[in-house]
Amino acid sequence: MESIWQETIDWCPTEEQQLQLQFLYVAVVTANQRLNLTRITEPEEFWEKHLWDSLRGIGNLISNPSAMQVIDIGTGAGFPGLPLAIARPDWQMTLVDSTAKKVGFIQEIAPEINLTNIHPLVSRIEELGQQSQHRHQYDLALVRAVASANICAEYALPLVKVGGTAILYRGNWTAEEADSLEIAVAKLGGEISKIDRFTTPISNSIRHCVWLHKIVDTHPYYPRAVGIPTLKPL
Ligand code: SAM
């Protein structure tokens, strides 16, 4: 896949990173039998939908000259967080999920992949967003396949520093979603800064990554209590 990495995201794994990605695949597929982590287990599909998609989603930030504090919200089995932690060992990655068995899997494999830059946490994200050690602390927040865009924005923006970015990984994207998100994001102290539309390199599927820029601190009212963002989306 070397040439595809290079052509599509202008990045190529070193031999060590290649081995780490390979190990991640084997670990997920092996643990899947007992933990039911993902339905994507075929090598090519796994490469495209879990590895490539995770890295492509952050666009040119992959080559950001400085190190970043990153949070992956609803990381599941570690996507997009784990491939990014492998690609950027100088970044600190907090990987959060409310399901203990998924976070347990990440904790189990981290030393085996030789990853020292990840910080797995079991928590509801609404709680983390109100804790001073996480609120307004991150340069970059990532949310893939967790909830509708407005809910993801309420989860992500309170955690991001002013000047930082939240990226919502989406499949399809409609004008109605954009209109509704714009209103939600304004309440959270941000703005939509980019809609990055791309196709995946093997199955040619359409993806959108919605970039949110944090302009001012989020009002303490957000995120609302556990479950409220889902019950009453902004
Ligand atoms: N991001 C991963 C991916 O793209 O493969 C996992 C996606 S999975 C469909 C959604 C995950 O979000 C689940 O593991 C779920 O436990 C987690 N999740 C949903 N709502 C959450 C919340 N409020 N706080 C923390 N985790 C949450």
Side-chain angles (χ1 to χ4, degrees), residues 74-76 79 97-99 102 123-126 144-146 155:
T75 187
F79 301 100
D97 203 283
S98 53
T99 309
K102 295 184 181 174
S123 175
R124 284 291 299 222
I125 206 70
E126 300 93 316
R144 195 181 84 150
V146 172
Y155 289 164

